[in-house]
Amino acid sequence: MRELSEVETVGVVGAGTMGNGIAQVAAVNGYDVVMRDVEESFVDRGMEAIEDSLSRFVRKDELSQQEADAAVDRVYGTTDLDALSTADLVVEAVIEEMDVKRDVFADLDRVCEEGVVLATNTSTLSITTIAAATDRPELVVGLHFMNPVPVMKGVELVVGEKTDEAVVDTAHEFAESLGKETWEADDKPGFVTNRILMPWINEGVRAYDEGVAAKSDIDRGMTLGTNVPMGPLELADHIGLDVVLDASETLHEELGDRYKPAYLVKRKVDAGDLGKKSGKGFYEYD
Ligand code: 3HC
């Protein structure tokens, strides 16, 4: 197995919100990064998001312009799958569909060198099932980053049925090398975070739908009343209602009725109101 001390280049599969965030924190922390997506326009959007996010840190004096520029230079965006062959550790962050993830892992297993650890950023899917698409299930681990990745301190480390203990240690060390803190979860649906967060969000949506309070009062009630940074409706918009629906449906399928997604989440996704990213969810955004 490739130890963290041997990791110079990090591969990131997927240049979306999570992928570009992971690529950014890896680059800021001195790794060379290969960020791969299937279309040039996705890669370009990912690179722009990295530059935008870094400029926020520069504005807040948390990074110098030179450090931000150097981080951008360390990210190589590409559509070429074979470019991932140079990676010493890979994090996958493509859409939350098991078939797609399994295809990506089969490809990574073929392209990446022997001993390279393959991590998945899945939020609810089984690490064990994803790992079974490879001939190296012992080197597959879950590294579940939180959105927005450059800002959120925590990374959930998920241990699959076959994940080797040394791989778990390396995954912890890797997350720490990105300035993150970890906690460990077994490979059970939703792990710790989404198993608890998704019913919380869905209950907030139901409370709104059932007229318990105005949406802003539900969010204020939870932020002021329990000291969380965002209330459930605001957080749903931040995460993306499509992401909330997908995660909730997986949990519902695996764990039964107490995880049933709120009707209003589904109706809004059907209407294309996905939250901040589409300009409208429970609230409206510029
Ligand atoms: N890079 C990218 N985004 C940044 C950023 C940076 N450097 N700095 C701030 N942000 C984002 C915020 O998301 C928000 O976006 P907007 O401008 O588009 O509205 C905005 O910038 C707010 O900026 P602020 O400087 O005012 O930041 P705050 O101090 O208000 O903190 C926050 C923002 C950290 C997002 C805080 O509100 C928070 O902690 N919210 C809860 C987030 C959370 O719970 N995330 C986990 C979601 S669950 C998850 O990811 C799991 C998945 O599987 C579903």
Side-chain angles (χ1 to χ4, degrees):
M1 187 201 74
R2 204 156 295 191
E3 308 276 341
L4 189 66
S5 56
E6 300 168 275
V7 175
E8 286 179 9
T9 302
V10 173
V12 178
V13 192
T17 307
M18 300 307 285
N20 70 57
I22 296 164
Q24 176 182 326
V25 292
V28 165
N29 287 286
Y31 294 102
D32 290 326
V33 178
V34 176
M35 179 175 75
R36 191 258 174 179
D37 210 321
V38 286
E39 282 187 30
E40 205 69 59
S41 62
F42 300 162
V43 175
D44 292 347
R45 237 181 291 156
M47 292 301 300
E48 278 166 29
I50 292 174
E51 288 178 34
D52 277 1
S53 173
L54 287 169
S55 68
R56 286 168 182 260
F57 287 105
V58 172
R59 275 201 302 275
K60 290 184 194 163
D61 273 338
E62 289 170 6
L63 271 187
S64 69
Q65 188 60 54
Q66 288 90 319
E67 286 169 322
D69 293 343
V72 171
D73 286 346
R74 277 196 284 272
V75 183
Y76 171 62
T78 180
T79 55
D80 180 13
L81 179 72
D82 290 334
L84 291 163
S85 64
T86 59
D88 303 302
L89 183 152
V90 178
V91 186
E92 164 277 319
V94 304
I95 53 168
E96 285 291 292
E97 280 181 28
M98 182 55 88
D99 290 349
V100 177
K101 294 219 189 259
R102 282 177 57 89
D103 284 351
V104 167
F105 271 76
D107 284 343
L108 289 174
D109 196 28
R110 190 168 39 77
V111 164
C112 295
E113 281 182 19
E114 221 172 280
V116 166
V117 169
L118 306 178
T120 170
N121 179 58
T122 185
S123 56
T124 41
L125 300 174
S126 163
I127 311 301
T128 306
T129 311
I130 294 170
T134 72
D135 286 333
R136 60 177 96 183
E138 70 287 357
L139 296 185
V140 177
V141 65
L143 273 179
H144 179 208
F145 289 80
M146 303 289 128
N147 176 10
V149 178
V151 181
M152 299 294 289
K153 271 270 166 252
V155 176
E156 184 161 53
L157 203 150
V158 190
V159 183
E161 196 64 40
K162 298 221 165 139
T163 311
D164 202 281
E165 251 174 64
V167 172
V168 174
D169 292 343
T170 299
H172 275 295
E173 286 166 27
F174 174 60
E176 277 161 17
S177 76
L178 305 180
K180 307 292 188 195
E181 290 177 35
T182 52
W183 60 94
E184 222 173 284
D186 200 4
D187 185 20
K188 304 260 164 47
F191 322 125
V192 172
T193 46
N194 282 332
R195 185 182 178 113
I196 296 170
L197 184 61
M198 290 303 149
W200 184 75
I201 289 176
N202 280 297
E203 202 45 48
V205 175
R206 279 190 203 101
Y208 166 54
D209 206 17
E210 291 169 18
V212 172
K215 54 193 168 187
S216 56
D217 283 319
I218 290 172
D219 284 335
R220 279 168 63 77
M222 296 313 290
T223 51
L224 293 173
T226 70
N227 253 3
V228 291
M230 287 178 170
L233 303 179
E234 206 186 350
L235 183 59
D237 277 1
H238 167 79
I239 293 172
L241 299 187
D242 50 343
V243 174
V244 170
L245 182 61
D246 264 1
S248 305
E249 281 176 339
T250 303
L251 290 167
H252 185 209
E253 219 168 275
E254 300 281 344
L255 300 171
D257 264 358
R258 68 194 160 118
Y259 284 92
K260 196 169 177 192
Y263 166 71
L264 197 52
V265 169
K266 192 168 179 326
R267 200 176 66 192
K268 282 189 175 289
V269 170
D270 288 346
D273 293 339
L274 305 181
K276 231 178 235 177
K277 64 179 152 191
S278 74
K280 189 174 173 208
F282 289 103
Y283 300 96
E284 294 197 8
Y285 304 89
D286 289 333

